């Protein structure tokens, strides 16, 4: 008998005669056939495959592969077998078979009888050793019925899953591509001169820009209406449109409604959120590969848990982000509601009629009264004296503004003032506070100022810095993972172990999967959610969670003044008291209230503030009316210690001349106990001083006093009184000095009230804190330039050094842009028709003057005053395009919505903010406190730091995970199996990476320059060097050292072996123990990395371990690893072997080494950075 044939025959008989546990144990002495039922055929087949052995020339038992069919012709006289033993696939498919069995003793003697009893005994002992080692594996195999080839139905299901996922990913990619193409096609090209001329000549185009300077005759021609002799007293008259002209204008201009944007189905958005994007595409590719391998290779060679977990991670992250973005309703809904739903009185062809707002057309004449909302843009043609309009919803300014019918006169050659600053125009969305107003419509629907704002908020929001970071990281990882997967594929093909193609594909896909940070999206999501919750505790509502990280990158904060930097409530801050001795004493309101005894001059001033007022008191005791009037009454009540109604009871009012914009004063008459009449007059100081009996020196003193107040940005109101004895039958008449029948001169000066909208508490400190963090605050307001500048200086937006630079004898060229007005923007900052500011930044030669203006503004401007809504949006665009800044914009009015949407981070006020502003914003300050913005910046920087640390931790394990697949080229056994690699990623790294979201700051985050997302990325080359070439190498060295320290591993690697390389069962167990050691060393290495990466330069001895989430996950990580190593179920599932306590300690050495070497590195970093850390960061804006 030939030796080779005898070896194969012996191997087959060992396979079928080994003791099989429980019901599967045959009677080896009875020669009865062994029957295997269908339920257990696949397990028995696997056991036979595992036990197939051959005896080499040295007498050692070595595992080899069974041929698919074996015929025992040579041993037919000794052993009776079936003619053919079918292969595993046939057994798994259920073919019946039976084998006659013999005792081990008889088998050994029969085969080796001619070589002597001693060699037979030696052979018997070797077979018994193999028998016992294989028995345990057979028992384990029989316990797990899921092992073996996959059923046909499972293959079909897996194929369908791969097909459906692939179709969904392709569909989402096509949708995103089509949307990008659509956006590109929607970009309007630069219009030609003919197109610009045609647009300028369109109906109503002139009126929309110049209605405030057009006469009634010009407006008549523009809209084919009749406006001659129009006045409130002559209505209805023969004014307005006739029915034919109204129908014509309706056809030309359309209904008075704003065009809503095209809405995308929320379910389509969810679909794209889950299956679209570069990173999700990469993750779904991993899912498809894993499912495909699991479906067509069997669970012995693949894994089904990983794709299920990964798919769950992708879907959950997508749903969370989609749900967050679906919380707000469309901004257009709120904008349309502002147009007004109440019917209005319209005059057409001399007839009064009631129309719904949507039926109004340009040229209609209508009348509005106090409390009514303005339904469209209206040019005022007549109004009562003292008419006031509340523009706060549009402009954000809290003070009601007066309105007049006077046409704005523009001299030849001069530029017309901005229409938004005109007092003879009403805008849609505002409301009438006081008086009656009649006017003509010149703008409806999309052509109103409100409609143009609506168009401004419909553009796409700029990408957040986090989106930019993730895209860059994904591209980097995709390249790395693809290269690693391809290299692994060729390495496995060239491996001396001659792996099957299925195994090659599995190993290469695992290598690819190793470099994909599957925990990135849940880490980002949970990190942002934790930051969002922390900010909610600070009264900050986050509407778009990725805005948190972007807020940490902000380098320019464009802040509205009223309600954000200031309280939004007019308040008396100072008093100038005229004493009877002719001296003017100034004091703060606080000191006046604290005084135990009031001087005579103070009592007179306070009495004037209480009695001479148009403020009304409600039943609840609240004051209503002009904010200035309310502020004076409140201050007077606080100083006097009595309510206004008590003073009016003591001295009742018998006459009043209301305030008007022409005279700029208000007069009231009051009776006293002795029938003396007290006349009180208040108003603009220059008008009141002229009515007082003062010497020139005294007038100069008073003038210097109120000019000083005004230079500080305060509004000043002067009060004077005059007492005279009036006849009992005197009837007060007159409206001014010309026709009054009572004294209008020789008044006694009482004093001056200095009123302002004061800065909020903590605002100067917040601005200083943001400046130290490298973020410049810029005021953007509709207020007067002098007032805005004064407030900016007080709160630190304009520093003392910048004031000296501006006012010094050698004023720099750029300092002229320190305070920029809306008029300057209109004159110099408007790019040519059809060009955008970002286009101009790329090609300044298209408009050199405009480009130079914005370059100077973005470098030096600290205050933008008297700006329009579209000016605000242009300011944000200029900072983004010309200076490359990351911009945050605060606002509360509808006028702020375009700028809020344009900025990388839009911040709305929760109390004062309109619904439109809140919906356009990413963040809402629930208490309108700017200090929350500084806190948010700090939280955003912490979020970015934690994301960086999380990615750093995750990437540190990639090199030791990927190396084993390449070392097979050298004939080294696979040091980490596929399932162990996946166990590291899913069972260990992902949860620890998520725990970094709760990591506290290691140092002051607000003492360094903000990170620019396009220049200083979250994942940069230094991090890859740290992860791959530093920590990754250290972990690899310890993992391989631990691997080769296991018993027998050096012999296995050193001994030359023919190809294909095969291992006996003893060596197989040794290899599994070594891979377990490799796995354990990598786990403990990651434990060391998890602590080491919690700080970048601060020592752990000082920082400690404050993150309880991280500590808990590390403990769980170690416990999970112990379960994998010592529990039988997991040992079989993940191909593990138990380790001794000594081996556990050897594998744990890497933890201590990493912690020690990292402490040394951080010490060197601190010593090197010590001189630099004492320097304050300089803003990129000022650089």
């Amino acid at each position: 008998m030939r030796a080779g044939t005898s070896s194969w025959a012996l191997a087959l008989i060992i396979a079928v005669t080994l003791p099989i546990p429980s019901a599967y144990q045959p009677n080896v002495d009875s020669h009865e056939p062994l029957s295997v039922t269908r339920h257990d055929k696949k397990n028995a087949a696997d056991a036979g495959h595992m036990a197939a052995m051959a005896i080499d020339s040295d007498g050692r038992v070595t595992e080899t592969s069974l041929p698919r069919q074996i015929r025992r012709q040579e041993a037919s006289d000794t052993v009776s077998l079936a003619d053919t033993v079918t292969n595993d696939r046939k057994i798994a498919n259920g073919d019946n078979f039976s084998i006659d069995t013999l005792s081990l003793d008889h088998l050994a003697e029969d085969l080796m009888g001619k070589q002597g009893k001693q060699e037979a005994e030696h052979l018997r002992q070797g077979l018994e050793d193999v028998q016992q080692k294989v028995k345990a594996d057979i028992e384990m195999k029989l316990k797990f019925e899921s092992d073996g080839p996959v059923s046909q139905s499972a293959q079909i299901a897996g194929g369908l899953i791969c097909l459906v996922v692939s179709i969904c990913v392709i569909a989402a990619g096509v949708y995103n591509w089509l949307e990008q193409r659509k956006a590109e096609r929607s970009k309007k090209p630069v219009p030609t001169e003919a197109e610009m001329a045609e647009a300028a000549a369109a109906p109503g185009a002139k009126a929309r820009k110049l209605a405030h300077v057009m006469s009634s005759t010009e407006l008549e021609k523009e809209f084919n209406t009749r406006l001659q002799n129009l006045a409130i007293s002559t209505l209805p008259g023969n004014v307005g449109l006739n029915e034919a002209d109204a129908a014509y204008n309706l056809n030309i201009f359309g209904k008075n409604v704003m065009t809503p944007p095209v809405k995308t189905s929320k379910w389509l958005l969810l679909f794209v959120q889950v299956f679209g994007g570069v990173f999700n595409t990469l993750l779904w590719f991993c899912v498809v590969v894993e499912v495909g391998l699991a479906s067509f290779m069997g669970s012995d060679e693949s894994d089904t848990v990983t794709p299920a977990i990964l798919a769950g991670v992708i879907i959950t992250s997508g749903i969370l982000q989609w749900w967050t973005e679906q919380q707000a309703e469309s901004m257009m809904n709120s904008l349309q509601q502002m147009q007004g739903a109440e019917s209005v009185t319209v005059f057409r062809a001399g007839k009064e009629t009631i129309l719904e707002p949507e039926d109004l057309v340009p040229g209609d004449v209508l009348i509005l009264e106090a409390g009514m909302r303005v339904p469209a843009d209206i040019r005022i043609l007549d109004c009562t004296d003292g008419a006031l309009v509340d523009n706060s919803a549009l402009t954000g300014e809290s003070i009601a503004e007066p309105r007049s019918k006077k046409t704005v006169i523009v001299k030849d050659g001069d530029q017309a003032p901005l229409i938004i600053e005109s007092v003879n125009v009403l805008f849609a969305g505002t409301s009438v506070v006081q008086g009656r107003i009649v006017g003509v419509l010149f703008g409806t629907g999309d052509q109103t100022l409100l409609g143009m704002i609506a168009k401004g908020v419909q553009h796409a929001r700029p990408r957040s810095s986090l989106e930019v970071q993730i895209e860059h990281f994904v591209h980097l990882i995709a390249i790395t993972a693809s290269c690693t997967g391809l290299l692994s594929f060729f390495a496995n093909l060239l491996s001396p172990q001659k792996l099957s193609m299925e195994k090659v594909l599995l190993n290469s896909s695992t290598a690819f999967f190793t470099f994909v940070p599957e925990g990135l999206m849940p880490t980002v999501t949970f990190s942002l959610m934790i930051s969002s919750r922390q900010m909610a505790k600070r009264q900050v509502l986050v509407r778009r969670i990725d805005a948190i990280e972007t807020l940490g990158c902000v380098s320019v904060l464009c802040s509205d003044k009223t309600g954000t930097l200031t309280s939004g409530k007019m308040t008396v801050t100072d008093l100038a008291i005229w004493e009877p001795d002719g001296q003017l004493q100034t004091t703060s309101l606080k000191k006046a209230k604290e005084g135990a005894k009031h001087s005579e001059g103070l009592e007179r001033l306070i009495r004037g503030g209480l009695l001479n007022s148009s403020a009304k008191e409600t039943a609840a005791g609240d004051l209503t009316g002009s904010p200035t009037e309310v502020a004076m009454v409140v201050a007077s009540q606080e100083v006097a210690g009595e309510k206004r109604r008590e003073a009016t009871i003591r001295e009742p009012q018998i006459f009043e001349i209301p305030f008007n914009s022409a005279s700029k004063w208000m007069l009231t008459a009051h009776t006293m106990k002795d029938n003396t009449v007290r006349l009180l007059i208040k108003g603009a100081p220059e008008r009141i001083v002229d009515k007082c009996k003062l010497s020139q020196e005294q007038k100069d003193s008073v003038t210097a006093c109120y000019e000083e107040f005004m230079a500080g940005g305060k509004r000043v109101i002067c009060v004077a009184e005059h007492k005279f004895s009036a006849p009992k039958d005197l009837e007060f008449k007159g409206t001014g000095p010309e026709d009054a029948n009572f004294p209008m001169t020789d008044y006694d000066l009482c004093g001056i009230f200095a009123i302002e909208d004061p800065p909020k508490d903590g605002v100067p400190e917040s601005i200083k804190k943001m400046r130290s963090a490298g973020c410049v605050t810029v005021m953007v307001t509709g207020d007067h330039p002098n007032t805005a500048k004064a407030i900016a200086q007080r709160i630190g937006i304009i520093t003392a050094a910048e004031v000296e630079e501006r006012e010094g004898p050698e004023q720099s060229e750029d300092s002229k842009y320190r305070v920029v007005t809306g008029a300057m923007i209109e004159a110099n900052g408007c790019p040519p028709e059809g060009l955008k500011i970002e286009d101009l930044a790329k090609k300044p030669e298209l408009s050199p003057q405009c480009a130079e203006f914005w370059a100077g503004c973005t470098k030096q401007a600290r205050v933008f005053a008297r700006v329009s809504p579209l000016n605000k949006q242009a300011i944000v665009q200029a900072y983004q395009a010309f200076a490359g800044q990351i911009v945050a914009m605060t606002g509360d009015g509808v006028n702020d919505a375009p700028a809020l949407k344009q900025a990388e981070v839009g911040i709305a006020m929760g109390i004062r903010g309109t619904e439109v502003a809140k919906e356009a914003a990413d963040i809402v300050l629930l208490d309108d406190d700017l200090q929350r913005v500084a806190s948010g910046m700090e939280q955003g920087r912490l979020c970015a730091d934690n994301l960086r640390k999380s990615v750093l931790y995750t990437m540190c394990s990639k090199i030791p995970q990927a190396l084993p697949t390449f070392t097979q080229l050298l004939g080294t056994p696979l040091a980490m199996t596929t399932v162990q690699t996946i166990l590291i990623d899913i069972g260990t790294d992902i949860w620890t990476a998520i725990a970094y979201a709760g990591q506290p700051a290691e140092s002051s985050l607000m003492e360094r320059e903000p990170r620019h997302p396009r220049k200083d990325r979250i994942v940069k080359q230094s991090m890859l060097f740290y992860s791959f070439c530093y920590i990754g190498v250290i972990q690899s060295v310890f993992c391989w050292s631990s691997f080769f320290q296991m018993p027998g591993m050096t012999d296995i690697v050193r001994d030359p072996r023919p190809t294909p390389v095969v291992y006996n069962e003893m060596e197989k167990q040794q290899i599994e123990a070594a891979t377990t050691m490799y796995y354990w060393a990598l786990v403990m290495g990651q434990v060391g990395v998890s602590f080491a990466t919690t700080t970048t330069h601060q020592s752990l001895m000082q920082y400690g371990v404050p993150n309880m989430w991280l500590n808990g996950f590390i403990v769980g990580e170690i416990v999970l690893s112990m379960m994998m190593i010592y529990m039988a179920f997991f040992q079989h599932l993940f191909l593990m072997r138990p380790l001794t306590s000594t081996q556990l300690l050897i594998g744990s050495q890497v933890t201590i080494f990493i912690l020690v070497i990292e402490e040394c590195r951080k010490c060197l970093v601190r010593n090197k950075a010590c001189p630099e850390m004492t320097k304050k960061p300089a803003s990129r804006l000022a650089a």
Side-chain angles (χ1 to χ4, degrees), residues 1 6 9-10 13 17 28 31 72-82 99-114:
M1 186 182 297
S6 300
L10 178 61
I13 296 171
T17 58
V28 295
H31 293 265
R72 286 293 311 276
Q73 302 295 337
E74 296 83 358
S76 59
D77 58 333
T78 308
V79 182
S80 176
L81 294 173
I99 302 175
D100 292 336
T101 58
L102 298 172
S103 68
L104 190 61
D105 291 338
H106 181 78
L107 173 66
E109 292 175 2
D110 180 71
L111 291 177
M112 304 300 295
K114 295 181 179 181

Side-chain angles (χ1 to χ4, degrees), residues 222-242:
E222 188 76 13
F223 299 112
N224 296 322
T225 187
R226 288 175 291 279
L227 305 175
Q228 295 299 322
N229 302 319
L230 175 61
I232 295 177
S233 58
T234 62
L235 291 176
N238 186 22
V239 296
L241 297 166
N242 57 39

Side-chain angles (χ1 to χ4, degrees), residues 380-398:
I380 300 174
L381 298 177
D382 192 19
C383 63
T384 57
D385 289 339
L388 296 176
V389 176
D390 180 10
N391 286 338
S392 60
L394 193 63
T395 65
E397 302 299 329
S398 59

Side-chain angles (χ1 to χ4, degrees), residues 741-755:
N741 61 347
F742 49 85
M744 290 295 297
T745 57
D746 294 334
Y747 278 66
D748 296 320
L749 182 65
C750 298
I752 299 171
F753 286 90
I755 309 167

Side-chain angles (χ1 to χ4, degrees), residues 335-352:
L335 285 168
Q336 289 171 336
Q337 290 173 5
M338 289 184 60
Q339 281 191 290
E342 56 188 346
S343 302
V344 292
T345 301
V346 180
F347 301 95
R348 287 185 175 178
K351 296 180 180 180
E352 181 178 322

